[in-house]
Structure formats: C-alpha cells, structure tokens
Amino acid sequence: MFQQLFDSIQEKVTVTPAEMDICKTFFIPKKLRKKQTLLQEGDICIHNAFVEKGIMRSFFTDEKGNEHIVQFAIEGWWITDLSSFLTKSNSIYTIEALEDCELLLLTMEARETLIDKIPMFERYQRLLLQNAYIANQARINSALTETAEEKYVKVGLAYPGIIKRVPQHMIASYLGLKPETLSRVRKQISTRI
Amino acid sequence: MFQQLFDSIQEKVTVTPAEMDICKTFFIPKKLRKKQTLLQEGDICIHNAFVEKGIMRSFFTDEKGNEHIVQFAIEGWWITDLSSFLTKSNSIYTIEALEDCELLLLTMEARETLIDKIPMFERYQRLLLQNAYIANQARINSALTETAEEKYVKVGLAYPGIIKRVPQHMIASYLGLKPETLSRVRKQISTRI
DNA sequence: TTTCTCTGTTGACCTAAATCAACAGAATTT
DNA sequence: AAATTCTGTTGATTTAGGTCAACAGAGAAA
C-alpha cells in the first residue's frame, strides 16, 4: 500500500524506517473507481493526493464548455489543486480517476504535523514543488513556441508511460490541441518514418 | 537599499528587526546598467536575484533565432533560472537589465546558511515558490486556451506596472505573439471601445 | 546637425490548426 | 444480442495568427 510513496521519498531524502512508520499514520488510504472524482470544480481542495496505483487527471472547463487537461498523475506522482489547497479557495479544477486508483491522501493539518515531526518531509515536499515548478516552466515554453508536432513528440519522450495508458484525445487536450489535429499529426509522423 | 526586500519578507512572514539585520549580511548588492546581464545562456546560474530597483527580464533563444521572454521582474520581485541554480546545470536563459537596476544577490551557500539561521526565511522562500508555481499554472492555461486578445487583456490587468515600462514587442514575446499581431490586437481593442 | 538604432504600424499574403461533418471499429451498458 | 457511448480517422472549409515588406516617428549617438 505504501510502497510507491516510500520509493518516492527515499529517492529524494534520507529517512529511517522508524520515520517511515510514523509517516504512514498521517495518510488516509482511499480507493477510487474509474470516473470517480477526488475533487469537483467549485469545491475546496482539502487533499494532497499521492497515487499508489492507477492514473488520475485534473482538468478545467472553459466558457465554451471545452475541457482542458492540466495534469496527469500515475503511480509515484502527486496530484492536487495547489492553489485551492493552500488558500482554501474554490477550485476551478476537477480531479478524476481515469482507471481504478489507490490513493494516499494528506490533509493540510496532517501535512503540517508531519513536517513538524519529520523535518525531512518538508525538504521532500520542497523538492517536489521545485521539480513541478521547473516542469511547468518547460511546459510554458513548449506551449508558446512549439508546433503541434513538436509538442506531441516531446510529451511522448517525456512521459511514455502516460501516452500508452490514456486516450489520444486526452493527450490532445493536455497539449492544447484538437483531437483531429493530433490524429493528423500522428499520421504525418508515421508516413515519414 | 533593502527596503523592497524588507517589505517583501514582512508581507509573507513575521521577523524581528534583529533578524532583518542578520538577513542583510547575506546579500550581495549589485548594480546593473541597462542591457547588462546577470546570467548568460550557457553559464551556470549561481544567484537568486531580488530586484530593489529597475526591471529585469529572462529569455531564451530558439533554434530559429527567435527570443522568447520567460519572465519580467520589477521592484519587489525575484528572478533567477531556478533549474540551473538548483541543479548547477548550464542555463538556457539569459537574464538582462531592461533599465538600470539595483539587485540583491543570494548565492546557494548564503541561502542555505540563511535558512539555517533564520527559519522564517525558508518559509518565505517556500511561499514565493508556491506563488510562482500557481502563477505558472495559470500561464499554462492561458497559453493553451486563450486567444491573442484574451492573453493581452489579462496580462494588462495582472501586471499593469510591467506593460507601462516595457516595449510592446517584449510583451508580445512574453505572450508568445508576434509584434505585428499584438499591434493589430491593440488596434482592434481600441476601435471597439 | 545627421546618422543610427529602436519601436510600432499597416498592407498583402500564407499557413498551421480549428471547425464542421461524416464515418467506423471498440468497448460498455442494457 | 442489441443499443449506446467512446474513440480515432478522414475530408472540406475557415480562420487566427504568422510572414514578409515597407514605412515613419522617437531617441540616442556621432
């Protein structure tokens, strides 16, 4: 149940088995079936979710009713609406399971207590945030400067595990493309090889 | 010299005047004239820079030779290449003064010592990073879903202090638009009012 | 002064991606 | 098994924004 989380923590910081055991007690295990949601648009996001098994997505819906995927999270990844979580504001995002999932949830209070008890956990969280920030910076550059084809090729290289498990039109949504466009881009690439 | 920095810190955390005095000693004041650089593409970014006075930009150059502005920083803002700074890797960005500037520089070592001595400084830095992350998330959504006009109107509302001080073609670059396009968008808006 | 460089505008034209629409195989649901 | 939803493809057409080129005013520099 906690294997992925332990791996993720140990990859970034050094903690003792005893600390790991304490750590466990702060998380709420939760199972979601495909299409169930962890967060609904308009609600306040009270959890930081770690994915032990399955795949989640967060998305928002624009005025024209189009869905835009913000993030995918597979095993070993975190997902939340950080803005809503931190400021206790209403979320514009929905977070939903794309497969049956096993999550480990951390509330704000649990997170703060855990940081107090195990200082390394704060470092772990900061490193996650730094990586997420850097990844987002790269995504901005990609969105502003690359063609549809470049975006698709890059996401395939960066997250091969995700494009294999997710419908193609969701990859399109993540990249800010229409499904038809992505289909044509793929055809284009395949005929060139 | 430290006024903007003090304001920025006090806006986010509580620190004593004594702590502020300690804080001072860790920063290296630096003046840059217009067009001088703090970081050159290819170098390792060894400073976290706080802008006391003036305005800075960071940008990268793509394969076709086009410059893309990543960030502006006016008084009270921080600017760095976080990826290069944290991992000591070669930067793809250049950081340059758009006006004569007064900066306060923090090296990695100074930053870590300061965090040790004044724990509140870590919290301050984490809050900055969280805000930057949330702002970047919004920028991704904007880049992927909005029209040229929507992007321009939003940036004008979000950062009025910046669009007044920066040439229009740099705003275009920041938004991923061509200068001609932004010029037309502005004309379009003005004829509608 | 006179030359530059920098900046913003406008026109004519082009192109990448969006839109609209139809279709078909897979996968679910009943 | 039949019906429905989900998914991906393809064609025809439109459109937002890019490209190329010329021009003009504002500063800065010589």
Side-chain angles (χ1 to χ4, degrees):
Chain A
M1 191 69 216
F2 286 84
Q3 196 53 52
Q4 294 280 349
L5 179 63
F6 289 174
D7 290 351
S8 170
I9 293 175
Q10 260 163 340
E11 195 190 296
K12 296 219 168 357
V13 296
T14 311
V15 286
T16 64
E19 285 175 326
M20 282 292 200
D21 284 341
I22 295 169
C23 208
K24 265 190 195 178
T25 65
F26 287 88
F27 286 86
I28 305 155
K30 168 143 190 159
K31 293 194 183 197
L32 281 186
R33 320 246 23 208
K34 187 172 173 172
K35 293 197 186 175
Q36 289 185 315
T37 59
L38 178 67
L39 172 70
Q40 289 274 3
E41 178 192 338
D43 292 348
I44 292 170
C45 181
I46 58 164
H47 293 116
N48 230 321
F50 180 85
V51 180
E52 271 290 324
K53 189 155 184 351
I55 181 163
M56 306 282 296
R57 67 161 179 160
S58 64
F59 65 94
F60 69 97
T61 306
D62 68 21
E63 322 78 52
K64 294 163 209 141
N66 299 313
E67 280 183 9
H68 300 278
I69 294 181
V70 171
Q71 196 200 335
F72 295 107
I74 59 175
E75 290 83 3
W77 293 40
W78 289 83
I79 192 165
T80 190
D81 172 3
L82 198 66
S83 176
S84 171
F85 182 76
L86 293 171
T87 67
K88 303 201 192 313
S89 56
N90 296 83
S91 179
I92 58 163
Y93 304 115
T94 296
I95 302 180
E96 180 198 67
L98 294 178
E99 299 172 1
D100 294 352
C101 284
E102 293 175 26
L103 307 177
L104 296 172
L105 305 183
L106 198 57
T107 64
M108 181 66 97
E109 303 74 50
R111 182 170 175 260
E112 285 176 357
T113 317
L114 183 50
I115 283 172
D116 276 354
K117 295 216 173 179
I118 302 176
M120 271 303 148
F121 195 80
E122 172 152 47
R123 184 171 160 77
Y124 168 67
Q125 292 265 305
R126 198 185 76 213
L127 292 174
L128 288 175
L129 184 61
Q130 285 176 355
N131 289 345
Y133 175 87
I134 291 166
N136 270 359
Q137 193 61 69
R139 195 168 165 210
I140 291 169
N141 295 348
S142 166
L144 293 177
T145 69
E146 294 175 357
T147 64
E149 179 172 332
E150 288 166 339
K151 288 179 201 175
Y152 177 68
V153 169
K154 273 211 187 167
V155 83
L157 294 171
Y159 310 115
I162 289 174
I163 48 169
K164 279 185 211 114
R165 284 165 75 175
V166 158
Q168 193 173 304
H169 70 269
M170 289 196 185
I171 303 295
S173 169
Y174 178 77
L175 296 175
L177 303 173
K178 295 293 151 181
E180 300 95 317
T181 300
L182 183 54
S183 174
R184 282 182 245 264
V185 163
R186 282 165 48 87
K187 189 184 181 186
Q188 190 63 22
I189 292 171
S190 69
T191 58
R192 262 212 316 280
I193 296 171
Chain B
M1 191 69 215
F2 287 84
Q3 196 52 53
Q4 294 280 348
L5 179 64
F6 289 175
D7 289 351
S8 171
I9 293 174
Q10 258 162 341
E11 197 189 293
K12 296 219 168 354
V13 295
T14 312
V15 286
T16 64
E19 286 175 324
M20 282 291 201
D21 283 341
I22 296 170
C23 206
K24 263 190 196 178
T25 65
F26 287 88
F27 286 86
I28 305 155
K30 168 142 189 159
K31 294 194 183 196
L32 282 186
R33 320 247 19 210
K34 188 173 173 170
K35 293 196 186 176
Q36 288 185 317
T37 59
L38 177 67
L39 172 70
Q40 289 272 4
E41 178 193 336
D43 292 348
I44 292 171
C45 181
I46 58 165
H47 292 117
N48 229 322
F50 181 85
V51 181
E52 270 291 323
K53 191 157 184 345
I55 180 162
M56 306 282 296
R57 66 161 178 159
S58 64
F59 65 94
F60 69 97
T61 307
D62 66 22
E63 321 79 51
K64 294 164 209 136
N66 300 314
E67 279 183 11
H68 301 277
I69 293 181
V70 171
Q71 196 200 333
F72 295 107
I74 57 175
E75 291 84 4
W77 294 40
W78 290 83
I79 192 165
T80 189
D81 172 3
L82 198 65
S83 176
S84 172
F85 182 76
L86 293 171
T87 68
K88 304 198 192 318
S89 56
N90 296 83
S91 180
I92 60 164
Y93 304 114
T94 296
I95 302 179
E96 180 198 69
L98 294 178
E99 298 173 0
D100 294 352
C101 284
E102 293 174 25
L103 307 178
L104 297 172
L105 306 182
L106 198 56
T107 64
M108 180 67 94
E109 304 72 53
R111 182 168 173 261
E112 285 176 356
T113 317
L114 184 49
I115 283 173
D116 275 353
K117 294 216 177 183
I118 302 172
M120 269 303 149
F121 195 78
E122 173 153 45
R123 183 173 160 78
Y124 169 67
Q125 291 265 306
R126 199 185 75 214
L127 292 174
L128 288 175
L129 185 60
Q130 285 175 355
N131 289 344
Y133 175 88
I134 291 167
N136 270 359
Q137 194 61 68
R139 196 168 165 211
I140 291 170
N141 295 348
S142 165
L144 292 177
T145 68
E146 293 175 357
T147 63
E149 179 172 332
E150 287 166 338
K151 289 178 200 176
Y152 177 67
V153 170
K154 272 209 186 169
V155 83
L157 294 171
Y159 309 116
I162 288 175
I163 48 170
K164 277 185 212 116
R165 284 165 76 175
V166 159
Q168 194 173 303
H169 69 271
M170 291 198 183
I171 303 295
S173 170
Y174 178 78
L175 296 175
L177 302 174
K178 295 293 151 182
E180 299 95 319
T181 300
L182 184 55
S183 175
R184 283 181 244 265
V185 162
R186 282 165 46 86
K187 190 184 181 184
Q188 189 64 21
I189 293 170
S190 70
T191 56
R192 262 213 315 282
I193 296 168

